[in-house]
PDB file of all heavy atoms in Angstrom:
ATOM      1  N   ILE A   1      99.267  96.063  87.595  1.00 78.00           N
ATOM      2  CA  ILE A   1     100.075  95.550  88.710  1.00 78.00           C
ATOM      3  C   ILE A   1     100.520  96.692  89.622  1.00 78.00           C
ATOM      4  O   ILE A   1     100.472  96.583  90.853  1.00 78.00           O
ATOM      5  CB  ILE A   1     101.290  94.774  88.175  1.00 78.00           C
ATOM      6  CG1 ILE A   1     100.825  93.455  87.537  1.00 78.00           C
ATOM      7  CG2 ILE A   1     102.300  94.497  89.289  1.00 78.00           C
ATOM      8  CD1 ILE A   1     101.942  92.665  86.886  1.00 78.00           C
ATOM      9  N   ASP A   2     100.959  97.817  89.031  1.00 80.00           N
ATOM     10  CA  ASP A   2     101.394  98.964  89.839  1.00 80.00           C
ATOM     11  C   ASP A   2     100.251  99.489  90.695  1.00 80.00           C
ATOM     12  O   ASP A   2     100.447  99.847  91.860  1.00 80.00           O
ATOM     13  CB  ASP A   2     101.928 100.076  88.936  1.00 80.00           C
ATOM     14  CG  ASP A   2     103.238  99.702  88.255  1.00 80.00           C
ATOM     15  OD1 ASP A   2     103.872  98.719  88.696  1.00 80.00           O
ATOM     16  OD2 ASP A   2     103.624 100.388  87.290  1.00 80.00           O
ATOM     17  N   ARG A   3      99.076  99.542  90.112  1.00 84.00           N
ATOM     18  CA  ARG A   3      97.908 100.040  90.855  1.00 84.00           C
ATOM     19  C   ARG A   3      97.546  99.086  91.998  1.00 84.00           C
ATOM     20  O   ARG A   3      97.260  99.521  93.120  1.00 84.00           O
ATOM     21  CB  ARG A   3      96.731 100.220  89.905  1.00 84.00           C
ATOM     22  CG  ARG A   3      95.525 100.920  90.540  1.00 84.00           C
ATOM     23  CD  ARG A   3      94.547 101.402  89.480  1.00 84.00           C
ATOM     24  NE  ARG A   3      94.041 100.321  88.665  1.00 84.00           N
ATOM     25  CZ  ARG A   3      94.359 100.147  87.377  1.00 84.00           C
ATOM     26  NH1 ARG A   3      95.186 101.001  86.775  1.00 84.00           N
ATOM     27  NH2 ARG A   3      93.849  99.142  86.679  1.00 84.00           N
ATOM     28  N   LEU A   4      97.587  97.793  91.726  1.00 80.00           N
ATOM     29  CA  LEU A   4      97.288  96.808  92.769  1.00 80.00           C
ATOM     30  C   LEU A   4      98.330  96.850  93.889  1.00 80.00           C
ATOM     31  O   LEU A   4      97.990  96.798  95.072  1.00 80.00           O
ATOM     32  CB  LEU A   4      97.233  95.403  92.162  1.00 80.00           C
ATOM     33  CG  LEU A   4      96.010  95.079  91.294  1.00 80.00           C
ATOM     34  CD1 LEU A   4      96.210  93.752  90.579  1.00 80.00           C
ATOM     35  CD2 LEU A   4      94.745  95.041  92.151  1.00 80.00           C
ATOM     36  N   ASN A   5      99.593  96.952  93.520  1.00 76.00           N
ATOM     37  CA  ASN A   5     100.652  96.979  94.532  1.00 76.00           C
ATOM     38  C   ASN A   5     100.600  98.235  95.390  1.00 76.00           C
ATOM     39  O   ASN A   5     100.952  98.208  96.568  1.00 76.00           O
ATOM     40  CB  ASN A   5     102.025  96.857  93.867  1.00 76.00           C
ATOM     41  CG  ASN A   5     102.359  95.420  93.506  1.00 76.00           C
ATOM     42  OD1 ASN A   5     101.843  94.491  94.119  1.00 76.00           O
ATOM     43  ND2 ASN A   5     103.210  95.233  92.518  1.00 76.00           N
ATOM     44  N   LYS A   6     100.147  99.315  94.807  1.00 76.00           N
ATOM     45  CA  LYS A   6     100.021 100.558  95.577  1.00 76.00           C
ATOM     46  C   LYS A   6      98.957 100.418  96.657  1.00 76.00           C
ATOM     47  O   LYS A   6      99.101 100.952  97.762  1.00 76.00           O
ATOM     48  CB  LYS A   6      99.672 101.714  94.637  1.00 76.00           C
ATOM     49  CG  LYS A   6      99.648 103.075  95.316  1.00 76.00           C
ATOM     50  CD  LYS A   6      99.391 104.190  94.313  1.00 76.00           C
ATOM     51  CE  LYS A   6      99.397 105.549  95.014  1.00 76.00           C
ATOM     52  NZ  LYS A   6      99.142 106.659  94.052  1.00 76.00           N
ATOM     53  N   ASN A   7      97.918  99.676  96.342  1.00 71.00           N
ATOM     54  CA  ASN A   7      96.813  99.513  97.290  1.00 71.00           C
ATOM     55  C   ASN A   7      96.943  98.265  98.165  1.00 71.00           C
ATOM     56  O   ASN A   7      96.285  98.164  99.203  1.00 71.00           O
ATOM     57  CB  ASN A   7      95.477  99.452  96.537  1.00 71.00           C
ATOM     58  CG  ASN A   7      95.180 100.737  95.790  1.00 71.00           C
ATOM     59  OD1 ASN A   7      95.487 101.821  96.262  1.00 71.00           O
ATOM     60  ND2 ASN A   7      94.590 100.625  94.609  1.00 71.00           N
ATOM     61  N   CYS A   8      97.787  97.320  97.737  1.00 67.00           N
ATOM     62  CA  CYS A   8      97.879  96.040  98.459  1.00 67.00           C
ATOM     63  C   CYS A   8      99.278  95.768  99.002  1.00 67.00           C
ATOM     64  O   CYS A   8      99.640  94.613  99.268  1.00 67.00           O
ATOM     65  CB  CYS A   8      97.466  94.889  97.531  1.00 67.00           C
ATOM     66  SG  CYS A   8      95.798  95.061  96.878  1.00 67.00           S
ATOM     67  N   PHE A   9     100.086  96.817  99.125  1.00 61.00           N
ATOM     68  CA  PHE A   9     101.407  96.705  99.759  1.00 61.00           C
ATOM     69  C   PHE A   9     102.311  95.689  99.061  1.00 61.00           C
ATOM     70  O   PHE A   9     102.867  94.781  99.673  1.00 61.00           O
ATOM     71  CB  PHE A   9     101.271  96.356 101.246  1.00 61.00           C
ATOM     72  CG  PHE A   9     100.341  97.273 101.995  1.00 61.00           C
ATOM     73  CD1 PHE A   9      99.284  96.764 102.739  1.00 61.00           C
ATOM     74  CD2 PHE A   9     100.520  98.646 101.948  1.00 61.00           C
ATOM     75  CE1 PHE A   9      98.431  97.612 103.434  1.00 61.00           C
ATOM     76  CE2 PHE A   9      99.668  99.497 102.637  1.00 61.00           C
ATOM     77  CZ  PHE A   9      98.624  98.985 103.376  1.00 61.00           C
ATOM     78  N   ASP A  10     102.452  95.829  97.744  1.00 65.00           N
ATOM     79  CA  ASP A  10     103.418  95.046  96.962  1.00 65.00           C
ATOM     80  C   ASP A  10     103.209  93.539  97.085  1.00 65.00           C
ATOM     81  O   ASP A  10     104.161  92.776  97.272  1.00 65.00           O
ATOM     82  CB  ASP A  10     104.856  95.407  97.372  1.00 65.00           C
ATOM     83  CG  ASP A  10     105.198  96.847  97.071  1.00 65.00           C
ATOM     84  OD1 ASP A  10     104.657  97.379  96.089  1.00 65.00           O
ATOM     85  OD2 ASP A  10     105.997  97.444  97.817  1.00 65.00           O
ATOM     86  N   GLN A  11     101.985  93.120  96.955  1.00 69.00           N
ATOM     87  CA  GLN A  11     101.691  91.684  97.064  1.00 69.00           C
ATOM     88  C   GLN A  11     101.635  90.983  95.712  1.00 69.00           C
ATOM     89  O   GLN A  11     101.581  89.749  95.661  1.00 69.00           O
ATOM     90  CB  GLN A  11     100.372  91.476  97.808  1.00 69.00           C
ATOM     91  CG  GLN A  11     100.435  91.855  99.278  1.00 69.00           C
ATOM     92  CD  GLN A  11     101.491  91.074 100.025  1.00 69.00           C
ATOM     93  OE1 GLN A  11     101.497  89.853 100.040  1.00 69.00           O
ATOM     94  NE2 GLN A  11     102.427  91.791 100.646  1.00 69.00           N
ATOM     95  N   VAL A  12     101.628  91.734  94.601  1.00 69.00           N
ATOM     96  CA  VAL A  12     101.607  91.128  93.269  1.00 69.00           C
ATOM     97  C   VAL A  12     103.040  91.085  92.747  1.00 69.00           C
ATOM     98  O   VAL A  12     103.662  92.116  92.514  1.00 69.00           O
ATOM     99  CB  VAL A  12     100.711  91.926  92.308  1.00 69.00           C
ATOM    100  CG1 VAL A  12     100.655  91.233  90.942  1.00 69.00           C
ATOM    101  CG2 VAL A  12      99.303  92.067  92.879  1.00 69.00           C
ATOM    102  N   LYS A  13     103.565  89.881  92.578  1.00 70.00           N
ATOM    103  CA  LYS A  13     104.960  89.716  92.178  1.00 70.00           C
ATOM    104  C   LYS A  13     105.080  88.665  91.089  1.00 70.00           C
ATOM    105  O   LYS A  13     104.137  87.925  90.804  1.00 70.00           O
ATOM    106  CB  LYS A  13     105.811  89.304  93.387  1.00 70.00           C
ATOM    107  CG  LYS A  13     105.784  90.310  94.532  1.00 70.00           C
ATOM    108  CD  LYS A  13     106.679  89.879  95.676  1.00 70.00           C
ATOM    109  CE  LYS A  13     106.640  90.886  96.816  1.00 70.00           C
ATOM    110  NZ  LYS A  13     107.548  90.503  97.923  1.00 70.00           N
ATOM    111  N   LEU A  14     106.273  88.588  90.497  1.00 72.00           N
ATOM    112  CA  LEU A  14     106.550  87.549  89.518  1.00 72.00           C
ATOM    113  C   LEU A  14     106.777  86.220  90.229  1.00 72.00           C
ATOM    114  O   LEU A  14     107.119  86.184  91.411  1.00 72.00           O
ATOM    115  CB  LEU A  14     107.795  87.915  88.703  1.00 72.00           C
ATOM    116  CG  LEU A  14     107.720  89.170  87.834  1.00 72.00           C
ATOM    117  CD1 LEU A  14     109.020  89.330  87.051  1.00 72.00           C
ATOM    118  CD2 LEU A  14     106.545  89.121  86.876  1.00 72.00           C
ATOM    119  N   GLY A  15     106.619  85.142  89.492  1.00 67.00           N
ATOM    120  CA  GLY A  15     106.812  83.826  90.073  1.00 67.00           C
ATOM    121  C   GLY A  15     108.231  83.611  90.568  1.00 67.00           C
ATOM    122  O   GLY A  15     108.463  82.798  91.468  1.00 67.00           O
ATOM    123  N   ALA A  16     109.202  84.317  89.996  1.00 65.00           N
ATOM    124  CA  ALA A  16     110.602  84.152  90.402  1.00 65.00           C
ATOM    125  C   ALA A  16     110.907  84.829  91.725  1.00 65.00           C
ATOM    126  O   ALA A  16     111.974  84.624  92.303  1.00 65.00           O
ATOM    127  CB  ALA A  16     111.526  84.696  89.321  1.00 65.00           C
ATOM    128  N   GLN A  17     109.974  85.662  92.234  1.00 64.00           N
ATOM    129  CA  GLN A  17     110.209  86.375  93.478  1.00 64.00           C
ATOM    130  C   GLN A  17     109.638  85.614  94.671  1.00 64.00           C
ATOM    131  O   GLN A  17     108.750  84.763  94.528  1.00 64.00           O
ATOM    132  CB  GLN A  17     109.557  87.767  93.415  1.00 64.00           C
ATOM    133  CG  GLN A  17     110.179  88.695  92.393  1.00 64.00           C
ATOM    134  CD  GLN A  17     109.458  90.025  92.342  1.00 64.00           C
ATOM    135  OE1 GLN A  17     108.717  90.312  91.404  1.00 64.00           O
ATOM    136  NE2 GLN A  17     109.673  90.831  93.364  1.00 64.00           N
ATOM    137  N   ASP A  18     110.147  85.961  95.835  1.00 62.00           N
ATOM    138  CA  ASP A  18     109.673  85.370  97.086  1.00 62.00           C
ATOM    139  C   ASP A  18     108.511  86.212  97.594  1.00 62.00           C
ATOM    140  O   ASP A  18     108.673  87.378  97.933  1.00 62.00           O
ATOM    141  CB  ASP A  18     110.816  85.365  98.109  1.00 62.00           C
ATOM    142  CG  ASP A  18     110.457  84.579  99.361  1.00 62.00           C
ATOM    143  OD1 ASP A  18     109.257  84.496  99.681  1.00 62.00           O
ATOM    144  OD2 ASP A  18     111.375  84.053 100.009  1.00 62.00           O
ATOM    145  N   LEU A  19     107.325  85.634  97.633  1.00 58.00           N
ATOM    146  CA  LEU A  19     106.131  86.378  98.020  1.00 58.00           C
ATOM    147  C   LEU A  19     106.127  86.782  99.489  1.00 58.00           C
ATOM    148  O   LEU A  19     105.470  87.745  99.879  1.00 58.00           O
ATOM    149  CB  LEU A  19     104.881  85.542  97.733  1.00 58.00           C
ATOM    150  CG  LEU A  19     104.592  85.251  96.256  1.00 58.00           C
ATOM    151  CD1 LEU A  19     103.390  84.331  96.143  1.00 58.00           C
ATOM    152  CD2 LEU A  19     104.333  86.531  95.487  1.00 58.00           C
ATOM    153  N   SER A  20     106.862  86.073 100.304  1.00 57.00           N
ATOM    154  CA  SER A  20     106.787  86.309 101.747  1.00 57.00           C
ATOM    155  C   SER A  20     107.846  87.264 102.264  1.00 57.00           C
ATOM    156  O   SER A  20     107.821  87.625 103.435  1.00 57.00           O
ATOM    157  CB  SER A  20     106.927  84.975 102.496  1.00 57.00           C
ATOM    158  OG  SER A  20     108.202  84.407 102.249  1.00 57.00           O
ATOM    159  N   LYS A  21     108.773  87.674 101.391  1.00 57.00           N
ATOM    160  CA  LYS A  21     109.863  88.515 101.884  1.00 57.00           C
ATOM    161  C   LYS A  21     110.045  89.742 101.010  1.00 57.00           C
ATOM    162  O   LYS A  21     109.813  89.698  99.806  1.00 57.00           O
ATOM    163  CB  LYS A  21     111.173  87.720 101.938  1.00 57.00           C
ATOM    164  CG  LYS A  21     111.105  86.551 102.923  1.00 57.00           C
ATOM    165  CD  LYS A  21     112.421  85.810 102.989  1.00 57.00           C
ATOM    166  CE  LYS A  21     112.329  84.653 103.968  1.00 57.00           C
ATOM    167  NZ  LYS A  21     113.577  83.878 104.039  1.00 57.00           N
ATOM    168  N   VAL A  22     110.467  90.830 101.664  1.00 52.00           N
ATOM    169  CA  VAL A  22     110.725  92.084 100.970  1.00 52.00           C
ATOM    170  C   VAL A  22     112.164  92.493 101.246  1.00 52.00           C
ATOM    171  O   VAL A  22     112.552  92.707 102.393  1.00 52.00           O
ATOM    172  CB  VAL A  22     109.765  93.186 101.442  1.00 52.00           C
ATOM    173  CG1 VAL A  22     110.059  94.488 100.723  1.00 52.00           C
ATOM    174  CG2 VAL A  22     108.327  92.763 101.210  1.00 52.00           C
ATOM    175  N   TRP A  23     112.964  92.547 100.196  1.00 51.00           N
ATOM    176  CA  TRP A  23     114.360  92.989 100.252  1.00 51.00           C
ATOM    177  C   TRP A  23     115.280  92.048 101.035  1.00 51.00           C
ATOM    178  O   TRP A  23     116.442  91.984 100.782  1.00 51.00           O
ATOM    179  CB  TRP A  23     114.486  94.408 100.840  1.00 51.00           C
ATOM    180  CG  TRP A  23     114.042  95.457  99.892  1.00 51.00           C
ATOM    181  CD1 TRP A  23     113.039  96.343 100.078  1.00 51.00           C
ATOM    182  CD2 TRP A  23     114.560  95.727  98.593  1.00 51.00           C
ATOM    183  NE1 TRP A  23     112.898  97.145  98.989  1.00 51.00           N
ATOM    184  CE2 TRP A  23     113.827  96.799  98.058  1.00 51.00           C
ATOM    185  CE3 TRP A  23     115.576  95.186  97.823  1.00 51.00           C
ATOM    186  CZ2 TRP A  23     114.070  97.329  96.802  1.00 51.00           C
ATOM    187  CZ3 TRP A  23     115.822  95.714  96.559  1.00 51.00           C
ATOM    188  CH2 TRP A  23     115.070  96.763  96.080  1.00 51.00           C
ATOM    189  N   LYS A  24     114.737  91.335 102.020  1.00 53.00           N
ATOM    190  CA  LYS A  24     115.552  90.400 102.795  1.00 53.00           C
ATOM    191  C   LYS A  24     116.759  91.085 103.438  1.00 53.00           C
ATOM    192  O   LYS A  24     117.824  90.494 103.565  1.00 53.00           O
ATOM    193  CB  LYS A  24     116.045  89.257 101.909  1.00 53.00           C
ATOM    194  CG  LYS A  24     114.970  88.254 101.559  1.00 53.00           C
ATOM    195  CD  LYS A  24     115.584  87.089 100.814  1.00 53.00           C
ATOM    196  CE  LYS A  24     114.597  85.969 100.598  1.00 53.00           C
ATOM    197  NZ  LYS A  24     115.171  84.866  99.831  1.00 53.00           N
ATOM    198  N   MET A  25     116.629  92.319 103.836  1.00 61.00           N
ATOM    199  CA  MET A  25     117.724  92.999 104.515  1.00 61.00           C
ATOM    200  C   MET A  25     117.790  92.558 105.967  1.00 61.00           C
ATOM    201  O   MET A  25     116.794  92.174 106.567  1.00 61.00           O
ATOM    202  CB  MET A  25     117.543  94.519 104.454  1.00 61.00           C
ATOM    203  CG  MET A  25     117.837  95.124 103.109  1.00 61.00           C
ATOM    204  SD  MET A  25     117.957  96.908 103.207  1.00 61.00           S
ATOM    205  CE  MET A  25     116.304  97.355 103.693  1.00 61.00           C
ATOM    206  N   GLN A  26     118.984  92.635 106.529  1.00 69.00           N
ATOM    207  CA  GLN A  26     119.143  92.405 107.956  1.00 69.00           C
ATOM    208  C   GLN A  26     118.663  93.661 108.671  1.00 69.00           C
ATOM    209  O   GLN A  26     119.259  94.719 108.559  1.00 69.00           O
ATOM    210  CB  GLN A  26     120.611  92.130 108.280  1.00 69.00           C
ATOM    211  CG  GLN A  26     120.872  91.897 109.764  1.00 69.00           C
ATOM    212  CD  GLN A  26     122.320  91.584 110.041  1.00 69.00           C
ATOM    213  OE1 GLN A  26     122.979  90.903 109.264  1.00 69.00           O
ATOM    214  NE2 GLN A  26     122.839  92.098 111.139  1.00 69.00           N
ATOM    215  N   GLN A  27     117.573  93.549 109.402  1.00 75.00           N
ATOM    216  CA  GLN A  27     116.987  94.692 110.112  1.00 75.00           C
ATOM    217  C   GLN A  27     116.562  94.227 111.504  1.00 75.00           C
ATOM    218  O   GLN A  27     115.389  94.051 111.798  1.00 75.00           O
ATOM    219  CB  GLN A  27     115.789  95.251 109.333  1.00 75.00           C
ATOM    220  CG  GLN A  27     116.168  95.849 107.978  1.00 75.00           C
ATOM    221  CD  GLN A  27     114.954  96.319 107.202  1.00 75.00           C
ATOM    222  OE1 GLN A  27     114.014  95.558 106.980  1.00 75.00           O
ATOM    223  NE2 GLN A  27     114.969  97.575 106.785  1.00 75.00           N
ATOM    224  N   ASN A  28     117.545  94.026 112.345  1.00 80.00           N
ATOM    225  CA  ASN A  28     117.289  93.485 113.677  1.00 80.00           C
ATOM    226  C   ASN A  28     116.715  94.515 114.646  1.00 80.00           C
ATOM    227  O   ASN A  28     116.303  94.153 115.742  1.00 80.00           O
ATOM    228  CB  ASN A  28     118.582  92.903 114.261  1.00 80.00           C
ATOM    229  CG  ASN A  28     119.093  91.724 113.451  1.00 80.00           C
ATOM    230  OD1 ASN A  28     118.306  90.970 112.884  1.00 80.00           O
ATOM    231  ND2 ASN A  28     120.404  91.575 113.365  1.00 80.00           N
ATOM    232  N   HIS A  29     116.730  95.792 114.250  1.00 86.00           N
ATOM    233  CA  HIS A  29     116.269  96.852 115.159  1.00 86.00           C
ATOM    234  C   HIS A  29     115.191  97.707 114.490  1.00 86.00           C
ATOM    235  O   HIS A  29     115.109  98.906 114.723  1.00 86.00           O
ATOM    236  CB  HIS A  29     117.445  97.736 115.589  1.00 86.00           C
ATOM    237  CG  HIS A  29     118.651  96.969 116.056  1.00 86.00           C
ATOM    238  ND1 HIS A  29     118.735  96.412 117.307  1.00 86.00           N
ATOM    239  CD2 HIS A  29     119.806  96.643 115.417  1.00 86.00           C
ATOM    240  CE1 HIS A  29     119.897  95.797 117.440  1.00 86.00           C
ATOM    241  NE2 HIS A  29     120.566  95.918 116.309  1.00 86.00           N
ATOM    242  N   LEU A  30     114.375  97.089 113.638  1.00 85.00           N
ATOM    243  CA  LEU A  30     113.402  97.841 112.853  1.00 85.00           C
ATOM    244  C   LEU A  30     112.175  98.222 113.677  1.00 85.00           C
ATOM    245  O   LEU A  30     111.566  97.374 114.336  1.00 85.00           O
ATOM    246  CB  LEU A  30     112.968  97.012 111.646  1.00 85.00           C
ATOM    247  CG  LEU A  30     112.061  97.697 110.623  1.00 85.00           C
ATOM    248  CD1 LEU A  30     112.793  98.854 109.952  1.00 85.00           C
ATOM    249  CD2 LEU A  30     111.583  96.702 109.578  1.00 85.00           C
ATOM    250  N   SER A  31     111.821  99.505 113.625  1.00 86.00           N
ATOM    251  CA  SER A  31     110.597  99.969 114.279  1.00 86.00           C
ATOM    252  C   SER A  31     109.412  99.741 113.348  1.00 86.00           C
ATOM    253  O   SER A  31     109.572  99.347 112.188  1.00 86.00           O
ATOM    254  CB  SER A  31     110.715 101.451 114.631  1.00 86.00           C
ATOM    255  OG  SER A  31     110.979 102.222 113.464  1.00 86.00           O
ATOM    256  N   LYS A  32     108.222 100.004 113.825  1.00 87.00           N
ATOM    257  CA  LYS A  32     107.020  99.794 113.020  1.00 87.00           C
ATOM    258  C   LYS A  32     106.856 100.886 111.967  1.00 87.00           C
ATOM    259  O   LYS A  32     107.343 102.008 112.141  1.00 87.00           O
ATOM    260  CB  LYS A  32     105.780  99.751 113.923  1.00 87.00           C
ATOM    261  CG  LYS A  32     105.711  98.534 114.829  1.00 87.00           C
ATOM    262  CD  LYS A  32     104.420  98.517 115.622  1.00 87.00           C
ATOM    263  CE  LYS A  32     104.315  97.270 116.492  1.00 87.00           C
ATOM    264  NZ  LYS A  32     103.049  97.224 117.253  1.00 87.00           N
ATOM    265  N   ARG A  33     106.147 100.554 110.903  1.00 83.00           N
ATOM    266  CA  ARG A  33     105.823 101.521 109.847  1.00 83.00           C
ATOM    267  C   ARG A  33     104.469 102.149 110.198  1.00 83.00           C
ATOM    268  O   ARG A  33     103.461 101.887 109.555  1.00 83.00           O
ATOM    269  CB  ARG A  33     105.804 100.818 108.492  1.00 83.00           C
ATOM    270  CG  ARG A  33     107.160 100.269 108.081  1.00 83.00           C
ATOM    271  CD  ARG A  33     107.071  99.245 106.986  1.00 83.00           C
ATOM    272  NE  ARG A  33     106.455  97.997 107.473  1.00 83.00           N
ATOM    273  CZ  ARG A  33     106.315  96.902 106.729  1.00 83.00           C
ATOM    274  NH1 ARG A  33     106.741  96.883 105.483  1.00 83.00           N
ATOM    275  NH2 ARG A  33     105.734  95.822 107.234  1.00 83.00           N
ATOM    276  N   TYR A  34     104.505 102.998 111.207  1.00 85.00           N
ATOM    277  CA  TYR A  34     103.274 103.493 111.831  1.00 85.00           C
ATOM    278  C   TYR A  34     102.323 104.192 110.865  1.00 85.00           C
ATOM    279  O   TYR A  34     101.104 104.121 111.029  1.00 85.00           O
ATOM    280  CB  TYR A  34     103.629 104.481 112.949  1.00 85.00           C
ATOM    281  CG  TYR A  34     104.485 103.904 114.035  1.00 85.00           C
ATOM    282  CD1 TYR A  34     105.855 104.168 114.081  1.00 85.00           C
ATOM    283  CD2 TYR A  34     103.943 103.109 115.041  1.00 85.00           C
ATOM    284  CE1 TYR A  34     106.657 103.648 115.087  1.00 85.00           C
ATOM    285  CE2 TYR A  34     104.737 102.590 116.049  1.00 85.00           C
ATOM    286  CZ  TYR A  34     106.098 102.867 116.068  1.00 85.00           C
ATOM    287  OH  TYR A  34     106.880 102.354 117.063  1.00 85.00           O
ATOM    288  N   THR A  35     102.850 104.852 109.857  1.00 85.00           N
ATOM    289  CA  THR A  35     102.014 105.714 109.012  1.00 85.00           C
ATOM    290  C   THR A  35     101.613 105.085 107.687  1.00 85.00           C
ATOM    291  O   THR A  35     100.834 105.678 106.942  1.00 85.00           O
ATOM    292  CB  THR A  35     102.741 107.042 108.719  1.00 85.00           C
ATOM    293  OG1 THR A  35     103.950 106.757 107.982  1.00 85.00           O
ATOM    294  CG2 THR A  35     103.100 107.771 109.998  1.00 85.00           C
ATOM    295  N   THR A  36     102.143 103.901 107.374  1.00 80.00           N
ATOM    296  CA  THR A  36     101.857 103.319 106.062  1.00 80.00           C
ATOM    297  C   THR A  36     101.308 101.898 106.123  1.00 80.00           C
ATOM    298  O   THR A  36     101.039 101.305 105.080  1.00 80.00           O
ATOM    299  CB  THR A  36     103.134 103.311 105.190  1.00 80.00           C
ATOM    300  OG1 THR A  36     104.169 102.579 105.874  1.00 80.00           O
ATOM    301  CG2 THR A  36     103.604 104.725 104.906  1.00 80.00           C
ATOM    302  N   ARG A  37     101.164 101.324 107.306  1.00 77.00           N
ATOM    303  CA  ARG A  37     100.640  99.964 107.440  1.00 77.00           C
ATOM    304  C   ARG A  37      99.551  99.944 108.505  1.00 77.00           C
ATOM    305  O   ARG A  37      99.795 100.271 109.667  1.00 77.00           O
ATOM    306  CB  ARG A  37     101.756  98.985 107.836  1.00 77.00           C
ATOM    307  CG  ARG A  37     102.813  98.761 106.763  1.00 77.00           C
ATOM    308  CD  ARG A  37     102.224  98.028 105.563  1.00 77.00           C
ATOM    309  NE  ARG A  37     103.250  97.646 104.609  1.00 77.00           N
ATOM    310  CZ  ARG A  37     103.684  98.412 103.619  1.00 77.00           C
ATOM    311  NH1 ARG A  37     103.173  99.631 103.480  1.00 77.00           N
ATOM    312  NH2 ARG A  37     104.595  97.986 102.776  1.00 77.00           N
ATOM    313  N   LEU A  38      98.353  99.521 108.112  1.00 76.00           N
ATOM    314  CA  LEU A  38      97.239  99.495 109.054  1.00 76.00           C
ATOM    315  C   LEU A  38      97.499  98.535 110.212  1.00 76.00           C
ATOM    316  O   LEU A  38      97.088  98.785 111.346  1.00 76.00           O
ATOM    317  CB  LEU A  38      95.954  99.081 108.323  1.00 76.00           C
ATOM    318  CG  LEU A  38      95.333 100.134 107.385  1.00 76.00           C
ATOM    319  CD1 LEU A  38      94.171  99.524 106.616  1.00 76.00           C
ATOM    320  CD2 LEU A  38      94.868 101.351 108.169  1.00 76.00           C
ATOM    321  N   ASN A  39      98.192  97.443 109.936  1.00 80.00           N
ATOM    322  CA  ASN A  39      98.451  96.468 110.995  1.00 80.00           C
ATOM    323  C   ASN A  39      99.623  96.852 111.888  1.00 80.00           C
ATOM    324  O   ASN A  39      99.997  96.099 112.789  1.00 80.00           O
ATOM    325  CB  ASN A  39      98.691  95.076 110.393  1.00 80.00           C
ATOM    326  CG  ASN A  39      99.903  95.046 109.471  1.00 80.00           C
ATOM    327  OD1 ASN A  39     100.338  96.084 108.972  1.00 80.00           O
ATOM    328  ND2 ASN A  39     100.436  93.866 109.236  1.00 80.00           N
ATOM    329  N   GLU A  40     100.219  98.035 111.633  1.00 82.00           N
ATOM    330  CA  GLU A  40     101.319  98.497 112.470  1.00 82.00           C
ATOM    331  C   GLU A  40     101.022  99.869 113.080  1.00 82.00           C
ATOM    332  O   GLU A  40     101.929 100.609 113.450  1.00 82.00           O
ATOM    333  CB  GLU A  40     102.616  98.544 111.658  1.00 82.00           C
ATOM    334  CG  GLU A  40     103.063  97.172 111.173  1.00 82.00           C
ATOM    335  CD  GLU A  40     104.375  97.196 110.412  1.00 82.00           C
ATOM    336  OE1 GLU A  40     105.146  98.167 110.585  1.00 82.00           O
ATOM    337  OE2 GLU A  40     104.632  96.250 109.640  1.00 82.00           O
ATOM    338  N   LEU A  41      99.744 100.197 113.171  1.00 82.00           N
ATOM    339  CA  LEU A  41      99.357 101.467 113.792  1.00 82.00           C
ATOM    340  C   LEU A  41      99.816 101.513 115.239  1.00 82.00           C
ATOM    341  O   LEU A  41      99.914 100.489 115.923  1.00 82.00           O
ATOM    342  CB  LEU A  41      97.845 101.647 113.732  1.00 82.00           C
ATOM    343  CG  LEU A  41      97.232 101.968 112.359  1.00 82.00           C
ATOM    344  CD1 LEU A  41      95.717 101.969 112.454  1.00 82.00           C
ATOM    345  CD2 LEU A  41      97.725 103.307 111.845  1.00 82.00           C
TER     346      LEU A  41
END
């Protein structure tokens, strides 16, 4: 699971977790993750 999550951006989770959300923090002014996400280059 750790190896898959490292390569697939934490997409393997337990059934008790929300697959579509990460941390659920309020981040109304978040910039892109330019260096770690291909879709945010």
Side-chain angles (χ1 to χ4, degrees):
I1 290 176
D2 291 345
R3 188 165 59 250
L4 287 170
N5 280 335
K6 185 176 181 180
N7 297 323
C8 302
F9 308 126
D10 296 329
Q11 292 302 304
V12 183
K13 301 182 180 182
L14 296 183
Q17 294 178 254
D18 188 332
L19 294 176
S20 63
K21 297 182 180 178
V22 179
W23 286 120
K24 286 186 172 178
M25 286 193 296
Q26 179 178 323
Q27 295 177 306
N28 296 327
H29 312 281
L30 186 65
S31 58
K32 292 184 178 181
R33 296 163 290 183
Y34 301 102
T35 62
T36 57
R37 292 293 188 272
L38 287 173
N39 61 339
E40 296 182 21
L41 287 174

